[in-house]
Amino acid sequence: LDTWVERAAIDLEQLAFVKVDAQGSEVHVLRGASRVLARRHVAWQIEVDLKLLGSRGFTADDLYAPLRQHFSHFIDLGHHASGERLRRIDEINDALQYVTGGSEGRTDVLVFTLESVTESP
């Protein structure tokens, strides 16, 4: 993603939103997006389909670990989501347990950083 953004001459200061639906290759996208991920003002919508991830040799934590590293909060956009709508990113593993064995099998999450969380008092 970083290479594509550079080739397309996209100003990362002007970028506000990234949507990733890469059919199980979301981890590859994240691994190639260090410059974009460093921009804390950018929100991302990412598909979570653990069967597709598994078919590419990845686990849920391969996807969730970089999300926990770069974002403070998430919203599960799926209609099977339960609990609070806005959640801290460290709750993502537990919150998306239903995707692992549930009949739905996938969801999308909106991940982002709330500036008030990252500012020092």
Side-chain angles (χ1 to χ4, degrees):
L1 183 60
D2 284 343
T3 301
W4 180 83
V5 164
E6 186 175 326
R7 283 185 194 155
I10 294 172
D11 181 354
L12 292 176
E13 291 303 315
Q14 299 297 313
L15 184 68
F17 184 75
V18 174
K19 183 175 191 285
V20 181
D21 183 348
Q23 300 303 303
S25 295
E26 289 76 11
V27 174
H28 288 299
V29 172
L30 291 169
R31 287 180 178 171
S34 60
R35 287 182 50 237
V36 179
L37 286 166
R39 306 302 180 150
R40 307 283 286 181
H41 66 277
V42 178
W44 293 57
Q45 180 179 339
I46 300 177
E47 180 183 46
V48 178
D49 186 325
L50 300 182
K51 288 182 184 177
L52 281 174
L53 279 174
S55 73
R56 304 285 195 271
F58 295 111
T59 66
D61 204 53
D62 290 327
L63 178 62
Y64 301 158
L67 300 182
R68 289 190 308 267
Q69 179 183 357
H70 293 285
F71 302 99
S72 69
H73 288 80
F74 76 98
I75 295 172
D76 182 349
L77 301 174
H79 62 276
H80 286 89
S82 62
E84 295 291 321
R85 184 148 173 81
L86 174 64
R87 300 179 78 157
R88 295 188 55 80
I89 198 70
D90 59 0
E91 298 176 29
I92 197 165
N93 292 65
D94 292 337
L96 299 184
Q97 278 297 79
Y98 76 92
V99 176
T100 303
S103 59
E104 179 70 7
R106 62 159 304 282
T107 192
D108 280 68
V109 292
L110 180 65
V111 292
F112 51 94
T113 296
L114 293 176
E115 290 302 319
S116 62
V117 172
T118 61
E119 293 175 0
S120 299

